[in-house]
Amino acid sequence: MILITGGAGYIGAHVALELLARNEDVLILDNLCNSQRSAIERISTLAGQRPGFIQGDVRNRRLLDTLLRDYPIDAVVHCAGLKAVGESVHEPLRYYDNNVGGSLTLCQAMAQAGVFTLVFSSSATVYGDCCTMPINESCATGQPTNPYGMSKLMAENIMQSVASSDPRWSIGLLRYFNPIGAHPSGLLGEAPLNMPNNLLPFLLQVASGQREYLSVFGNDYPTADGTGVRDYIHIVDLAQGHLCALDALRERSGVNIWNLGTGRGYSVLELVKSFEQVSGVPIALQFKARRPGDVTCCWADPQKAADELGWRASRSLQDMLTDAWRWQCSQLETEWIREAN
Ligand code: NAD
Ligand code: UD1
């Protein structure tokens, strides 16, 4: 059985679905601080079977001990965490407590229970302002410019240390680039509870009339069109990378770092243009100053994951945007039906 912390969230739910599709037993632990119970229903509908679900906090050591004792858990995918960069600047202690404290408590409980296989949701943000593109796993980690990024790096460091102290650990640090998109069914996707910070969720709200315009943060970067370049990866490709990592960890010990990206970067304006093409909806833009802490470019060298995991992202930017738009439209329909009743 695989325990997924944060499994009701955007990434964890897609990982749960892929695991269930492979007939793995899944137990989700989530405190629902940034997700809803309906995600579990959606996973169950799509998978045709229900994952186990416990509403609880990954920092609750007693709860973890009980779960690791009572369920036949042999590996953990640790997605639980807070992820809003701006919020982390204003509430650093909450971010360190949740992201670092949660990872520490989880490692302690796993060690005590004798469960040593762990896949961790890390981020390309740990590379900081890396100047060599594409970024491979031997690039030095940088100095993250915000407490969120720092908390990911600190959690990685904890995992490096525990793995060095005991050879029974098999840990996969998955450094995600920019996951976007939704399940092609339109039933599962990212549902920000507050004002979205990331590009695509914001753009989707502009497209559906919930917001007036999209701010483009900076058009004076040294890139082809002046806007920032990122490696956007389809959420289903990303989720499948976790299954490949779990498989690979059966044969590997210590800490293994894998970039999960496509290897191709797109600028903000390229993404907006592609979205307009797939949806037929024009997006109003306003050019603004650069967002503090943003890097110019960030895209992955995904070769290590290809060599060691046999994994490569296969879905195009058009697939990502089509699936995201389908999800957004289905969300709106659900809201209209709710309001009409
Ligand atoms: P999300 O907010 O949709 O999912 C995180 C889930 O964890 C939520 O359901 C939330 O309720 C839960 N959670 C948070 N703190 C918890 C706690 N203490 N105990 C139990 N549950 C808790 O975010 P996501 O996009 O699915 O991200 C998953 C992980 O991947 C996070 O750790 C995030 O930092 C990391 N990550 C995300 C991205 C991205 O672009 N989405 C990029 C890089 C890394
Ligand atoms: C951000 C975080 C990263 C985190 C990831 C997922 C920063 C510096 N980095 O990545 O640590 O792992 O989110 O939570 O915040 N953009 C606009 N207008 C918008 C929003 C974004 O122009 O309204 C631009 C940004 O300047 C950037 C690109 O779009 O060039 C992507 O931004 P975003 O989706 O927020 O992701 P990252 O900044 O790459």
Side-chain angles (χ1 to χ4, degrees):
M1 172 177 269
I2 316 285
L3 172 66
I4 308 180
T5 72
Y10 175 47
I11 295 170
H14 284 86
V15 174
L17 189 54
E18 293 298 319
L19 283 168
L20 290 167
R22 208 172 73 167
N23 275 323
E24 302 265 6
D25 287 329
V26 171
L27 178 65
I28 289 174
L29 170 68
D30 200 302
N31 66 3
L32 302 182
C33 70
N34 196 38
S35 53
Q36 288 169 333
R37 195 175 280 269
S38 58
I40 308 298
E41 302 310 320
R42 290 164 185 267
I43 296 168
S44 307
T45 305
L46 285 170
Q49 53 179 310
R50 183 166 273 279
F53 174 62
I54 307 287
Q55 183 171 351
D57 200 295
V58 75
R59 290 163 295 178
N60 181 339
R61 175 66 191 275
R62 201 175 288 171
L63 173 63
L64 284 182
D65 288 344
T66 309
L67 296 183
L68 289 161
R69 188 194 61 212
D70 292 352
Y71 292 87
I73 294 164
D74 41 40
V76 179
V77 178
H78 179 35
C79 298
L82 302 176
K83 64 166 180 175
V85 172
E87 192 178 70
S88 79
V89 175
H90 300 292
E91 298 177 73
L93 294 176
R94 189 157 78 89
Y95 271 69
Y96 289 123
D97 184 29
N98 205 327
N99 294 0
V100 183
S103 301
L104 187 61
T105 309
L106 178 66
C107 289
Q108 288 167 331
M110 287 176 70
Q112 183 170 307
V115 177
F116 290 103
T117 305
L118 174 63
V119 169
F120 175 57
S121 293
S122 188
S123 167
T125 199
V126 301
Y127 292 115
D129 203 353
C130 183
C131 39
T132 31
M133 290 298 142
I135 300 175
N136 68 42
E137 292 83 348
S138 28
C139 290
T141 50
Q143 185 69 3
T145 51
N146 53 73
Y148 163 75
M150 192 58 89
S151 74
K152 287 287 161 190
L153 194 53
M154 287 165 82
E156 279 200 1
N157 288 338
I158 290 171
M159 290 167 197
Q160 298 267 12
S161 304
V162 296
S164 313
S165 73
D166 186 332
R168 289 174 295 177
W169 282 97
S170 296
I171 299 180
L173 305 178
L174 303 186
R175 292 180 178 161
Y176 308 153
F177 281 66
N178 288 58
I180 60 168
H183 191 265
S185 63
L187 266 186
L188 207 57
E190 188 168 17
L193 292 183
N194 302 310
M195 169 118 126
N197 302 299
N198 296 118
L199 178 62
L200 190 63
F202 204 100
L203 185 156
L204 292 171
Q205 295 195 352
V206 176
S208 55
Q210 292 161 271
R211 299 190 189 276
E212 229 178 292
Y213 61 87
L214 174 74
S215 301
V216 176
F217 298 137
N219 61 350
D220 57 349
Y221 282 108
T223 61
D225 61 22
T227 64
V229 172
R230 296 290 184 276
D231 185 339
Y232 298 96
I233 174 170
H234 196 295
I235 184 68
V236 174
D237 279 330
L238 186 93
Q240 289 171 350
H242 292 68
L243 275 65
C244 297
L246 282 167
D247 290 344
L249 290 177
R250 282 186 232 285
E251 321 274 311
R252 292 170 169 272
S253 62
V255 165
N256 301 267
I257 302 176
W258 292 298
N259 282 344
L260 296 187
T262 66
R264 162 123 211 224
Y266 288 95
S267 73
V268 175
L269 292 182
E270 282 174 321
L271 184 138
V272 171
K273 196 165 158 217
S274 263
F275 178 82
E276 291 179 327
Q277 277 162 0
V278 304
S279 68
V281 180
I283 300 296
L285 300 179
Q286 280 198 13
F287 292 96
K288 300 274 175 68
R290 294 180 183 193
R291 184 172 64 177
D294 269 357
V295 298
T296 304
C297 292
C298 179
W299 70 89
D301 177 349
Q303 194 56 43
K304 186 166 183 273
D307 293 343
E308 297 180 1
L309 305 180
W311 171 91
R312 246 184 209 289
S314 64
R315 291 161 181 83
S316 67
L317 183 68
Q318 282 71 22
D319 297 331
M320 303 176 210
L321 299 172
T322 305
D323 291 337
W325 184 228
R326 187 183 299 110
W327 158 250
Q328 181 75 11
C329 294
S330 80
Q331 290 275 93
L332 281 182
E333 241 169 70
T334 318
E335 262 171 47
W336 289 332
I337 293 168
R338 204 181 298 134
E339 276 168 22
N341 292 326

